[in-house]
Structure formats: C-alpha cells, structure tokens
C-alpha cells in the first residue's frame, strides 16, 4: 500500500496514511466527534510521540495503558477524548494481533467479496456498520482494494463521487463538499427531531 491520501490535509500525516494500513485504520477509528483532518493527523502524531515513522500493532497492544493514554493526552491532544480513544486504539491493535498477527492489511488482503470485507471491518473494535462501510469505500475508491461487490457492500458511501465521507476526499475542494454534506445531514436530522418532538 503506497498511495497519496489527502485526509489530514498535512503532507507528512497523509503520507503515513497512504503507506500504513494500520495508520489508516487508526485514523478512521479516531474520526468521530472531532474534525476529520484532526482525526487523520492522529496516527502521525502517535508515531512521532512513539519515536517511530510508522505504527506497529504489537507495540501499541503491549504498551502500558496509562502511558499510552498519557501519550495521546499530550498537548495538542490527539483527540477530544484522548483517554477513551487510547483504550480503543489499544483494543483495535490487540484484536489485530490476535486475529491477523498484527498485520492490518490482512483484514482486506485476499478477501473474496465486499460483504466478507464489510463483515471483517465491522468486527474490528470501534467499528460499527457505518464506519466499516465508510472505510470499505475508502479502500475501494482510493486504495485499490476492490473485491467483488465492494460498492454495494459500502452502501451509499460506495457510490462514485457521492462526497458523503472521507472516502471521497482527495483535496481541499472535495473536503469542503464532504463537510457541506455532513452539515446538511445534521440539519436534516435536527429538523426531523424538532418536527417529531
């Protein structure tokens, strides 16, 4: 895996995401309740604080939980909730060590169908169905991982140029479109709640 992603809008952080399957998974895990760029810059910040140029599932899984939480809490914090996200990242890495010998790419390597890949992604700690579908769309659209039926398995996120998620971000212009779509969805949900409440 060695592609150019533009999710963090930071060349160094994006380079790590494009070459490191684990960094891409961790970025996706962090992508909640904070701006997307902040989430996807997180893996590079973690690697830097660990004194390495990549993330290693074995190393993170074996890290003392308090020390790893402190690492994510340093200013600037990796996430709005660094303690709980540190725990989730360690759970993800422990799962990868137990099920894939620590190789994040093994989650999607040699997978036969989009449905099978969606199932594998949804089994990852911290990945619900929606997050799994978004990551599946990212794999298909930007990372060349396209098992049979991947678009269907990714749902609306798999649609070409849908600008619904990080899967469609290729630069500042598409980031703005995705952000606008998310704001429309929030506004619609708020209006529906007000109408029903």
């Amino acid at each position: 895996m060695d592609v150019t992603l533009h999710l963090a809008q930071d060349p160094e952080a994006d380079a790590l995401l494009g070459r490191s399957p684990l960094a891409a998974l961790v970025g996706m895990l962090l992508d909640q309740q904070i701006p997307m760029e902040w989430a996807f810059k997180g893996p590079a910040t973690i690697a830097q604080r660990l004194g390495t140029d990549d993330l290693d599932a074995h190393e993170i899984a074996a890290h003392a939980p308090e020390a790893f939480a402190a690492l994510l809490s340093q200013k600037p914090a990796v996430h709005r909730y660094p303690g709980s996200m540190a725990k989730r990242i360690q759970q993800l890495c422990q799962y990868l060590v137990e099920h894939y010998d620590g190789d994040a790419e093994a989650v999607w390597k040699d997978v036969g169908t989009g449905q099978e890949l969606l199932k594998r992604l949804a089994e990852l700690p911290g990945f619900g169905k929606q997050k799994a579908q978004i990551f599946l769309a990212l794999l298909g659209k930007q990372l060349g991982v396209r098992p049979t039926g991947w678009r269907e398995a990714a749902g609306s996120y798999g649609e070409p140029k849908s600008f619904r998620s990080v899967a469609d971000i290729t630069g500042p212009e598409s980031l703005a479109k995705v952000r606008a779509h998310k704001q429309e969805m929030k506004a619609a949900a708020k209006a529906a709640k007000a109408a029903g409440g």
Side-chain angles (χ1 to χ4, degrees):
M1 190 169 117
D2 195 8
V3 298
T4 302
L5 293 177
H6 300 280
L7 306 179
Q9 303 290 303
D10 171 282
E12 233 172 89
D14 282 329
L16 176 61
L17 295 169
R19 73 174 183 271
S20 169
L22 180 56
L25 278 176
V26 169
M28 190 72 224
L29 182 67
L30 290 169
D31 188 20
Q32 57 190 45
Q33 300 176 309
I34 60 172
M36 291 174 278
E37 306 94 309
W38 185 8
F40 284 97
K41 192 173 180 175
T45 303
I46 295 167
Q48 180 187 22
R49 290 177 185 174
L50 287 170
T52 180
D53 63 354
D54 197 356
L55 299 181
D56 181 290
H58 293 276
E59 181 186 348
I60 293 172
H63 216 85
E66 306 78 30
F68 193 66
L71 190 100
L72 268 69
S73 300
Q74 287 174 24
K75 302 283 184 228
V78 169
H79 194 276
R80 179 180 291 162
Y81 304 107
S84 61
M85 291 315 288
K87 187 176 178 182
R88 284 190 176 184
I89 291 169
Q90 285 197 292
Q91 288 169 341
L92 172 65
C93 289
Q94 285 158 356
Y95 183 89
L96 291 171
V97 167
E98 288 169 26
H99 297 269
Y100 297 99
D101 196 29
D103 180 7
E105 192 173 17
V107 174
W108 53 85
K109 203 173 187 179
D110 304 325
V111 73
T113 66
Q115 279 303 325
E116 184 186 344
L117 179 50
L118 180 63
K119 181 179 179 287
R120 286 185 185 186
L121 290 168
E123 288 170 350
L124 297 173
F127 278 66
K129 184 180 181 191
Q130 183 183 30
K131 196 175 280 284
Q133 284 185 311
I134 291 170
F135 195 78
L136 173 52
L138 177 65
L139 287 170
K141 289 180 175 184
Q142 297 197 47
L143 300 172
V145 178
R146 300 182 179 112
T148 306
W150 72 271
R151 281 194 191 275
E152 294 76 12
S156 60
Y157 302 106
E159 294 169 9
K161 294 184 170 52
S162 60
F163 300 108
R164 294 176 195 272
S165 72
V166 297
D168 291 296
I169 296 174
T170 55
E173 191 179 311
S174 51
L175 171 64
K177 288 181 182 178
V178 170
R179 189 161 275 136
H181 174 77
K182 286 187 169 203
Q183 287 169 342
E184 284 172 29
M185 299 311 290
K186 279 183 185 171
K190 198 173 181 179
K193 190 176 180 182

